Amino acid sequence: MSLLDTRERRRTPATAPPVAARNGLWQRIRAAKWSYVYLAPMAVLLLAFVIYPIFASFGYTFYRWNGIGSPGEYVGLDNFRQILHDGIFWGAVKHTFLYAFVLVPVQLLLALALALVLNNPKLKFALFFRTVYFIPVVTSAAVVGVVIQLMLANFGDSAGSLLAKTGVTNGHIDWLGDPNTALAVIIAIGIWHTLGYNLVYFLAGLQTIPAELYEAAKLDGCGPVQSFFRITIPMLRQVGVVIVVLAFIGSFQVFDLVQVLTGGGPYFATEVVNTYIYHLAFGGAAGAAAQPDIGLASAASFLYGLLLILFSALQVLALRRISRRRTAANQ
Amino acid sequence: MAMPTLSPRLRQGRRGLLYLALLGGGLIWLYPFLWALGSSLKSTDGFFSGGLNPIPSEFHWSNYSEAWTQADFSRFFVNTVLFAMGTVVVTLLATSMAGYVLARTDFPGKKIWLGLVGVTLFLPHGYTIIPVFDLIQRLHLLNTLWSVVIVQSAGGMVFGTFLFMGYFTTIDRGLEDAARVDGANFHQIFWRIMLPLSGPMLATVGLFACITAWNSFFIPLVFTLSRPELHTLSVGMFNFIGQNSTAWTLVCAGSVITLLPIVLIFVVLQRFFINGLAGAVKQ
């Protein structure tokens, strides 16, 4: 309750403003004591619930533990061995990467196209359209998943049978129950659900491009296609790097949609890493370990975390390099 | 090569087509919501015969009262409101204070914190739920709304701090100096001058925290798993389906109860939300 503390202390007379503190570190720390107090709530929450868990999950990986009481039996590296040999884990990694690598390019292209249309200053109601296309973003993935599940169930019954009768499809399609279509449906919903973020990011990026650049290009005889590739794309590069990184980070964390729509099924065809970890740690998946195993789940999260950190680092390095090289080439 | 000039009428026609496409696309885009809204008023038979048609043949308002009372959505609603409000308050206090000292004061160790905030912004998290669960359990906070508020707020620390930091750096330093000359102390400068000046950013970060909390599923699911009376709307909905796999119209009413408030809040306050997002990416 540091807020109450500061409020309480606010009534005490103010300490003298810090004199140039050259007499060592301790004095500088003391002079800045209120800075630390103000930083503390954020720092404690960040350290305890974001940073510490990254390292702490490693500790559980050596135990077989059902999550109640203290960690039980020490099993050494057994958990890692078991995860590395688990086909379902690698399947989950594959599905998560497939989800991300299909979703990100498709979503970014659609968002960029829409942003270009909405950025046109002559377009009326641009704000209205931006709102419409952004709305799915502010809705709960879990609830939206339920609604779409119901729609698909109804679709399967009405339109699906119509398709089957006219011979377009081979019999009734259970979109989420068929291992061949379930992941594709989830990816499509994922693209729809978060496209608005990238739309807004691209619009923000487009608005930083000075209009004079386009006017100059027009005078020089550039058509719209040329000015898109010569001006828009290069000028969007900086924002683009951030957009791509954020889109991948978000996609790798997919959980709500999958958990609600399929729970990882059918036959693990849509199991992503986060649902896999959830099922190991808290149970509930058909076919998964009936007894929750925190050690095993931690080993899986730890391996996945390493994979993600590695991927993020590579991604940032690669994108920086691309953007630097192109900027240099343009100069 | 000059663009071929189109006759005004042709250009008008093209623009009309563009509006039509945007409107049609928007209708498809929002179709799941319109369908849920319509289906929440259908009778059980009407639901199945209606298929993808969102318009109910007769209006069954009783779906809402049933969802509200019998399916316990009133309780989930109150829990969600408390959870979202708690998260907003904790997030705003912690991130505005941290953002201020990181932007405007100097202290040993500041660089480390700036680095930590920067790195964490791009660090994937969410796979660390187990240690968080263990920590909450050891603090004896498991199965309380507090645990959900704390864990949810912690997740928003970096983004909020980052936004406030950016905002406070843009405020004129002369203002603080003048206040200091007038005898204002550290706290007075922050609470009486800087914080009131950061209204738009308070709205942005607060709205962001509110929307994220309202829609949060994983965190409330994990930390209130065995306590149905603490469930939020999204978790309650998930469980309701698990137990009543046939009451589809009630499920639709429940989803409208969950989705509508946050969509309305967003539509009214979207300026703050979208400007904040856009600003964060541009920085």
Side-chain angles (χ1 to χ4, degrees):
Chain A
M1 291 275 103
S2 59
L3 170 75
L4 291 180
D5 287 350
T6 55
R7 281 238 170 105
E8 210 54 47
R9 282 175 213 167
R10 215 166 109 191
R11 291 191 202 107
T12 61
T15 45
V19 196
R22 291 199 200 107
N23 333 11
L25 189 65
W26 181 236
Q27 219 143 5
R28 278 171 54 214
I29 290 177
R30 281 196 51 176
K33 62 173 187 275
W34 289 121
S35 294
Y36 294 111
V37 172
Y38 275 41
L39 188 69
M42 185 282 275
V44 168
L45 285 177
L46 187 67
L47 285 178
F49 295 105
V50 180
I51 309 228
Y52 155 79
I54 293 175
F55 299 101
S57 60
F58 191 61
Y60 307 112
T61 57
F62 303 111
Y63 294 90
R64 176 158 297 125
W65 180 35
N66 62 8
I68 300 158
S70 306
E73 186 193 343
Y74 180 82
V75 293
L77 290 174
D78 257 14
N79 285 329
F80 283 107
R81 215 165 289 141
Q82 201 176 330
I83 292 292
L84 287 173
H85 286 108
D86 188 355
I88 300 172
F89 173 73
W90 291 111
V93 172
K94 196 184 104 190
H95 298 143
T96 316
F97 274 68
L98 197 65
Y99 177 87
F101 277 94
V102 175
L103 181 138
V104 173
V106 174
Q107 191 181 56
L108 292 192
L109 279 179
L110 284 174
L112 179 60
L114 194 57
L116 286 170
V117 172
L118 294 185
N119 192 45
N120 186 344
K122 283 182 206 144
L123 186 85
K124 283 175 202 156
F125 313 114
L127 193 73
F128 168 76
F129 287 122
R130 190 186 71 179
T131 311
V132 164
Y133 288 96
F134 193 82
I135 277 180
V137 170
V138 302
T139 60
S140 149
V143 175
V144 156
V146 169
V147 168
I148 291 183
Q149 192 180 28
L150 292 186
M151 271 177 77
L152 285 176
N154 247 359
F155 186 71
D157 287 342
S158 50
S161 57
L162 191 80
L163 285 176
K165 267 181 214 147
T166 50
V168 178
T169 53
N170 216 348
H172 170 86
I173 292 187
D174 183 4
W175 294 96
L176 289 167
D178 185 334
N180 297 314
T181 53
L183 190 61
V185 172
I186 291 176
I187 292 173
I189 299 172
I191 291 171
W192 167 80
H193 186 237
T194 51
L195 182 128
Y197 275 126
N198 298 310
L199 170 66
V200 166
Y201 294 157
F202 276 126
L203 277 172
L206 287 173
Q207 273 150 20
T208 59
I209 306 176
E212 296 89 64
L213 275 182
Y214 289 107
E215 281 157 25
K218 214 173 184 181
L219 285 178
D220 287 346
C222 274
V225 177
Q226 253 184 321
S227 41
F228 174 72
F229 284 106
R230 295 274 172 85
I231 300 175
T232 313
I233 293 289
M235 292 295 284
L236 277 181
R237 197 159 286 141
Q238 283 232 312
V239 172
V241 169
V242 180
I243 294 175
V244 171
V245 173
L246 287 179
F248 269 111
I249 289 178
S251 310
F252 286 138
Q253 302 302 325
V254 60
F255 172 80
D256 302 8
L257 269 184
V258 179
Q259 176 70 9
V260 168
L261 284 169
T262 63
Y267 315 112
F268 305 107
T270 59
E271 188 86 303
V272 290
V273 180
N274 274 342
T275 54
Y276 175 81
I277 293 168
Y278 176 81
H279 294 147
L280 281 184
F282 303 100
Q291 182 79 349
D293 193 334
I294 301 278
L296 209 53
S298 296
S301 349
F302 189 80
L303 285 174
Y304 187 54
L306 277 185
L307 217 60
L308 286 193
I309 290 171
L310 194 74
F311 181 81
S312 295
L314 282 177
Q315 197 190 5
V316 169
L317 284 180
L319 289 172
R320 271 214 184 137
R321 205 154 166 200
I322 290 171
S323 86
R324 268 204 206 125
R325 194 188 297 149
R326 294 226 182 119
T327 331
N330 280 347
Q331 276 163 358
Chain B
M1 193 188 82
M3 277 278 290
T5 40
L6 300 169
S7 71
R9 189 181 288 173
L10 202 65
R11 202 180 288 170
Q12 234 169 25
R14 257 177 43 164
R15 186 150 319 146
L17 271 181
L18 181 64
Y19 284 117
L20 216 63
L22 279 174
L23 210 60
L27 202 66
I28 294 172
W29 207 248
L30 296 186
Y31 198 80
F33 302 118
L34 301 175
W35 182 81
L37 191 64
S39 299
S40 69
L41 295 170
K42 288 175 186 168
S43 63
T44 313
D45 290 342
F47 179 84
F48 286 110
S49 59
L52 287 181
N53 180 7
I55 299 158
S57 48
E58 49 196 311
F59 292 88
H60 277 255
W61 294 102
S62 58
N63 288 339
Y64 280 91
S65 52
E66 247 176 85
W68 189 254
T69 51
Q70 283 166 36
D72 249 3
F73 272 90
S74 54
R75 190 194 290 267
F76 303 149
F77 190 85
V78 171
N79 285 341
T80 310
V81 169
L82 289 176
F83 166 50
M85 277 178 10
T87 306
V88 168
V89 170
V90 172
T91 305
L92 283 183
L93 283 174
T95 58
S96 64
M97 283 159 51
Y100 172 67
V101 294
L102 285 173
R104 284 332 252 299
T105 65
D106 198 24
F107 53 90
K110 180 176 156 180
K111 286 226 175 83
I112 298 173
W113 279 103
L114 286 176
L116 214 54
V117 168
V119 168
T120 320
L121 195 61
F122 285 97
L123 211 61
H125 42 86
Y127 62 91
T128 53
I129 193 71
I130 294 150
V132 174
F133 185 81
D134 190 32
L135 194 63
I136 288 290
Q137 196 169 253
R138 278 164 205 272
L139 292 171
H140 299 289
L141 287 172
L142 197 62
N143 290 321
T144 61
L145 267 186
W146 272 113
S147 66
V148 195
V149 168
I150 289 173
V151 175
Q152 180 74 33
S153 310
M157 283 299 111
V158 169
F159 187 65
T161 305
F162 184 71
L163 285 184
F164 272 111
M165 239 168 60
Y167 193 81
F168 284 126
T169 16
T170 63
I171 294 179
D172 184 14
R173 253 186 203 281
L175 217 61
E176 265 171 292
D177 295 336
R180 213 166 279 133
V181 168
D182 286 346
N185 65 21
F186 187 90
H187 311 297
Q188 284 164 334
I189 290 176
F190 177 71
W191 296 101
R192 301 253 175 94
I193 299 171
M194 298 304 265
L195 202 60
L197 274 178
S198 63
M201 202 36 86
L202 286 170
T204 298
V205 176
L207 193 58
F208 204 89
C210 176
I211 290 176
T212 323
W214 191 276
N215 294 335
S216 186
F217 175 64
F218 193 35
I219 292 171
L221 176 70
V222 167
F223 292 102
T224 62
L225 205 56
S226 53
R227 292 282 297 279
E229 73 273 20
L230 291 176
H231 283 173
T232 57
L233 283 166
S234 51
V235 179
M237 178 101 140
F238 179 63
N239 270 16
F240 180 74
I241 292 167
Q243 291 153 8
N244 310 273
S245 52
T246 48
W248 297 133
T249 51
L250 290 194
V251 170
C252 284
S255 52
V256 173
I257 293 174
T258 311
L259 297 171
L260 200 61
I262 207 69
V263 169
L264 288 180
I265 290 179
F266 164 72
V267 168
V268 172
L269 297 173
Q270 59 162 312
R271 187 165 58 95
F272 298 107
F273 192 76
I274 285 182
N275 290 352
L277 277 182
V281 171
K282 273 193 275 187
Q283 265 176 17

